[in-house]
Each structure stands twice: as C-alpha cells, then as structure tokens.
Amino acid sequence: MKRHFWIVLAMLVLVPVLGRAPLGAQDFHANIEMTGVSLPTPMNGAIYTDGPRTRLEVDFQGMPIVLLLDSESGSQTMIMTAQRSYIQMPAGMAPVTAPPAREVDAENPCADEDITECVSLGSEVVNGYDARGWQFVSEGQPVTAWISTELDFPVRIETNDVTVNFSELSLDPVDAALFQIPEGFQPMQGLPFGG
C-alpha cells in the first residue's frame, strides 16, 4: 500500500498541474477524479491553490488524506484527518514537490520551454469546458491533455499510468485557513503506512 500511496501523491502533484501550480498567483479550486493502472481503485478529491500554496484532498482506500505544499518555503505537510495527526517533510524528502507557478497556454503549450513535441488534437468539450487537446512531452513524460481555452488549465490529463479529470473549476478566492494544519492535530513520527 505504501508504494501505491506515494505513486498517487506524485501523480496528484506532478501530472495534473504539468509540473506547475495552476494559473500563476490566481486562486483556484477544482474537484479531481483519478483512474489508472497505478491506482488500486478510482480516487476522488479536490485541489486548491492560491499560487504558491497548494492543498490536495484525496480519499485513499477509505482514508482521507490532505497534502499541503508551499513552493515559497519548500515545505510539504501530509495530514491524516482520521488520526488527527500530520507529518512535515522538507522539499525532496517525499517523491512530491511543490511546483512553481506558471500557466499552460491552451493554444500552444509548447510556448512553455519545459513542454516539447506538441501535436494538436483539435477542440472538444471536456468535463463541461471548451478545451484544446494536445499530445506532448512534459519533463520527459508523454502526456495527452485537454486544456480549457478559458482558464489555460487542464481539464483532463492522461499518461501511461493514470487519467485525471478536473471538474467544477472555480477562480473564487480560496480560504487561507485551508493551507494551515488544523488546530489540535499532533505531529506524527515516521510514515503512517506499512510496506
């Protein structure tokens, strides 16, 4: 279970946001649904960002998990809500990193120097959003993404291992309290999962 858990967290951070936090410094929220061969069961959750900070909420096999990432401080905090505990990790300790903030251009993702080999798949409505489809390589990984033409944010991402769908995207302000450890939660020593 430990291996699957870290694969999932890596995919949540690195794949859905294409190695970047969404929409620069703009607040953002979306629901996410993940499926794929690297996941034992489909996974649902939510992502919030205010630019430098990102909060991922997922239900992993019945266990609610929250991951807080701060690209300015390089901190990562995993919160186990059912256990009312958390573990803080420096950047690089876990196979997830807090990505820097930049947009993805729906009309030309290859305008980003880290994205190459772009092939257009045309326009389509995906998850209720007008989107442009692209196949490209990002950080050495082949990706197919449908990017909202209104938001310049992916509404569906497919890799060899996982498909991530975004829905109910919102640019409304995100409550700063979402990026804090809840009051009364205690630090945990070591990882909460066995091998």
Side-chain angles (χ1 to χ4, degrees):
M1 183 157 87
K2 176 179 168 184
R3 181 176 156 272
H4 287 300
F5 178 76
W6 287 118
I7 289 171
V8 167
L9 290 183
M11 297 310 288
L12 278 170
V13 177
L14 299 176
V15 174
V17 296
L18 302 176
R20 307 281 186 266
L23 300 172
Q26 191 168 19
D27 286 11
F28 174 85
H29 164 259
N31 292 331
I32 56 175
E33 175 192 58
M34 298 176 57
T35 57
V37 297
S38 65
L39 302 174
T41 60
M43 181 176 284
N44 296 309
I47 181 170
Y48 303 82
T49 188
D50 66 357
R53 298 180 298 182
T54 300
R55 175 187 175 105
L56 299 167
E57 300 174 353
V58 295
D59 185 75
F60 181 70
Q61 297 182 339
M63 181 184 302
I65 304 276
V66 174
L67 185 65
L68 304 177
L69 305 162
D70 188 326
S71 63
E72 290 179 346
S73 70
S75 69
Q76 304 175 61
T77 303
M78 186 169 59
I79 301 172
M80 287 67 65
T81 56
Q83 292 86 358
R84 298 185 55 80
S85 62
Y86 65 92
I87 185 167
Q88 293 181 307
M89 302 164 276
M93 181 179 163
V96 292
T97 58
R102 284 187 4 209
E103 296 180 22
V104 179
D105 185 349
E107 299 302 320
N108 181 17
C110 275
D112 183 320
E113 63 189 35
D114 297 326
I115 297 176
T116 61
E117 303 177 34
C118 292
V119 176
S120 176
L121 302 177
S123 298
E124 187 175 326
V125 175
V126 177
N127 296 333
Y129 296 90
D130 291 330
R132 289 286 311 262
W134 292 93
Q135 289 179 329
F136 53 80
V137 175
S138 175
E139 300 186 10
Q141 301 295 321
V143 176
T144 300
W146 294 92
I147 303 169
S148 164
T149 55
E150 177 185 353
L151 302 174
D152 284 335
F153 185 78
V155 291
R156 175 178 294 145
I157 296 176
E158 300 172 3
T159 70
N160 293 335
D161 298 328
V162 69
T163 297
V164 182
N165 282 290
F166 293 83
S167 61
E168 299 183 37
L169 284 74
S170 170
L171 300 180
D172 291 340
V174 175
D175 185 351
L178 289 173
F179 305 106
Q180 305 299 318
I181 298 168
E183 190 173 323
F185 278 49
Q186 299 299 314
M188 175 180 280
Q189 300 299 316
L191 293 176
F193 305 99

